[in-house]
Amino acid sequence: MSVADIPYLHPGWWLAGLGIVALFLRGGARRVVTLIAPMLALAVLIVLPDGTHGSWALMGQAVPALRMDPLARLFGIAFAIAALAGVVFAWRQESRVEGSAALVYAGAAIAAALSADLVTLFVSWEAMALASTAILWSAGPAAFPAAQRYLAVHLLGGMLLMAGIVGYVGETGSITLAGMAPDNVSRALILAGFLVNAAAVPLASWLPDAYPESSWSGMVFLSAFTTKVALLALLRAFPGAEVLVVLGLLMALYGAAYALVESDMRRILAYAIVGQQGVMLVGVGIGTPLSINGATSHAVASIFYTGLVAMATGAVLYQTGRRDCGDLGGLWRPMPFTAAAACLGALAFAGVPLASGFVTKSLVSAAAAESGLDGVRWSLAAASAASLLAAGFKLPWRVFFHRTAGLRPAEAPVSQRVAMSILAAMTLAIGLVPGLLYRLLPLPVSYEPFTVATLLGTAATMGAGALAVMALLPLLRRSNSHLPDIDQLWRGPGPRIALAIERAVQSSMRAIAALRRAGIAALVRRFQPGTRGASLARNWTVRVMVLWVVVALAGILVLSYR
């Protein structure tokens, strides 16, 4: 691969490069670099004009070094803002590995958003997997098992994606990242690789298994990039793939159901993230301009409000050292700012009017109604009601407003409150003035979210959620559970099966090695002089040797005859 011409700085790779530089710095110098790096990336993303910039000579093809269009710009800016807010939130984080890996992670996500070909996307994809694993790993020994499982799942997704890309290039001769249909094996493998990172069922459990084990600041970064880059890849490659509608609905209901019974505040958030991803996948699968805009806007808005809730729960963990809702409660008095931030993010999760989730999720619902998919629309409404109950009510209520656990921590530090203010401002701006986001969407939008019909439908959904809250309140008070998920297959019998297979393979290899040694020993004995049966090692007369030479030469002549 050679560089032909890159007249512009690539914001993603330069951000990742500064992240590597930060690994070797200490103290104030490291903090300054980590703060300035996402600002520079954000500035480049804002001023870089649309079009392709630079070129790479890759696999005999000239491909753009980066592609800037409305979709890439919107996701890139959102990623840069999330990285900047995350750096501010993690200002007190002492781990150099986490801070450096977070910038590499964000830079690789931006590079993926700007990629115009499958190979660059794959390289960015794998860089994200390694950097996010490093963020998990930096949380300490308690997070090592989760980091190993996380890496194994993402290596699986990477292998599926690589195999699909190899097959696709062999079929088409093109490495351009463009729309395709999952109508053969190679394209289905590409889709499967994207879906692994999108936390699609049945492998969605990697997200709630891994993200909560990160540090108090690590989950802020983890929640922003991997699943959203996967959604962007699906928007690029598989808009209108009907299988995504089915998977998305399953994810939306699955995430809300598990969040309802979970008691760990970070796992509640993780399952809620899966549910929101499901809504986005439905939008991609419907494939109309309105649904594509809905999936795009919901992904961008969720980067901010998910990060806001991740910050609020991270601040609680930082100040109390506790994660389980049963050990928390009544924190709104000592931590009022954090409680307000958590409530705002939770309302956006639930799609309450004037919060960003409402003006983006309603686009997907309207697209389903416009396409005559009433079953999809009602399923989304049910998932919204469950999300209202789980993320909109349960999480903030049990952490901040439930009966007190006797804790009196200090309010979150100033740096954490500044970071929460950044994402809260983005969430409120999108919710109150949706045109700010709508103007940046990849396709023209002529949609008004604040109509009577939309507000009445949302009110009905919220009413159903409120009735469910009243009915399930006793259960929610006692909800201190952790339901087994599909990841138990590889956390329980999986390792034992792998160990049994490993032992069987080792036994087979030992048996083969023993047979090989026995065969070599027998051959040596055949040639060894003075050994019984070593016929080839005997002394032969000259006449016999000449006879054998003649036979050999005759054979050569016969074989060489044309």
Side-chain angles (χ1 to χ4, degrees), residues 489-512:
L489 293 177
W490 53 82
R491 296 177 65 176
R496 291 194 293 272
I497 293 172
L499 182 60
I501 294 173
E502 179 184 2
R503 288 173 177 171
V505 171
Q506 289 177 347
S507 298
S508 300
M509 294 301 294
R510 285 194 295 267
I512 292 171

Side-chain angles (χ1 to χ4, degrees), residues 526-544:
R526 296 290 293 174
F527 282 90
Q528 186 175 357
T531 303
R532 182 181 178 184
S535 57
L536 295 178
R538 296 203 312 263
N539 293 325
W540 294 85
T541 64
V542 174
R543 288 182 299 175
V544 173

